Amino acid sequence: MIFDCDGVVVDSEPIALAVLKAHIEDRGATVDDAELAARTLGRSAAEAYAGIHEAWGVRIDEADAVDLQERLFARFRSELTAIPGVVRLLDRLAARGIAHCLASSSSPHRLDVALTAAGLADRFTGCVFSATMVARGKPAPDLFLHAARTMGVEPADCVVIEDSAVGIEAAQRAGMAVIGFLGGGHAVGADYEARLRAARPRAIVTSFEDLATLID
């Protein structure tokens, strides 16, 4: 089983969106929350910044990126929590001998900070994969294929848990079954669910309890 990280394993997306929104609005633009989510969730930092420039005309240079990262990590260390039920599900997978890993658009450093802050670092030791490890990030299939190859599992035998349309597309292009996840703090409202359903995942769940039932 391949998990996305942000918004699936850790409830980081509301924090990340708030930090980006504050940065954009500090520069005089008005931000629509739904559009910000659509342009940034599931994407690498470079792709998210390009989307912000296209939508609001705000350029994020190297100094801005460093400042944003520092602000984000400070909030992660003080606020970030694991998604409810994830530890119980990981225990269940381990008991059944089902291998699992993370495959995320985030950088290795951000993943390390997030997993450590949420108390999950030891749950994914040696099986964390970042888009920095491949030529193309999501929605290209490269990251998921790299994760499966490294874990020694055929793509057709993988199940991906994703909270974004670009992540769902990446998993589908990799030939993997994918389940949409609506358990994160950012995944609220009919519009968000509609965007996820439009990507046509195999199923959609709203919690890890629902996912455990689906797996059974």
Side-chain angles (χ1 to χ4, degrees):
M1 184 166 287
I2 304 177
F3 294 89
D4 181 36
C5 184
D6 295 296
V8 173
V9 170
V10 297
D11 204 9
S12 54
E13 297 295 24
I15 301 172
L17 290 169
V19 169
L20 287 173
K21 182 177 181 178
H23 179 84
I24 298 166
E25 292 188 336
D26 284 347
R27 281 144 184 82
T30 300
V31 177
D32 176 79
D33 291 347
E35 185 173 7
L36 180 62
R39 287 182 175 273
T40 61
L41 294 184
R43 303 183 186 276
S44 68
E47 290 170 332
Y49 296 163
I52 287 169
H53 180 249
E54 181 180 358
W56 296 285
V58 174
R59 291 189 181 276
I60 297 177
D61 61 21
E62 186 174 345
D64 292 329
V66 170
D67 178 63
L68 284 167
Q69 179 173 274
E70 290 176 351
R71 290 160 60 189
L72 180 67
F73 288 175
R75 290 191 59 175
F76 276 3
R77 294 183 178 106
S78 64
E79 302 174 36
L80 188 60
T81 59
I83 297 289
V86 66
V87 171
R88 288 192 299 276
L89 180 66
L90 294 175
D91 286 342
R92 194 167 187 163
L93 295 179
R96 295 179 60 174
I98 299 174
H100 62 272
C101 66
L102 281 180
S104 170
S105 295
S106 293
S107 69
H109 184 36
R110 172 170 164 160
L111 289 168
D112 180 61
V113 171
L115 292 171
T116 300
L120 296 173
D122 62 340
R123 295 285 181 155
F124 294 97
T125 302
C127 56
V128 176
F129 302 97
S130 164
T132 61
M133 300 173 178
V134 295
R136 302 175 298 168
K138 304 172 188 177
D142 302 31
L143 178 58
F144 288 134
L145 292 173
H146 172 67
R149 185 167 52 249
T150 305
M151 298 292 289
V153 180
E154 291 296 320
D157 294 327
C158 295
V159 177
V160 176
I161 314 302
E162 265 287 354
D163 68 314
S164 70
V166 293
I168 290 171
E169 180 183 345
Q172 292 166 336
R173 291 172 64 184
M176 300 176 180
V178 57
I179 296 172
F181 187 74
L182 292 172
H186 67 294
V188 295
D191 288 347
Y192 191 94
E193 182 174 349
R195 288 198 301 274
L196 213 62
R197 288 192 181 280
R200 298 186 177 181
R202 185 74 58 88
I204 288 181
V205 297
T206 59
S207 69
F208 280 118
E209 287 74 17
D210 290 345
L211 179 58
T213 299
L214 187 62
I215 292 170
D216 289 340

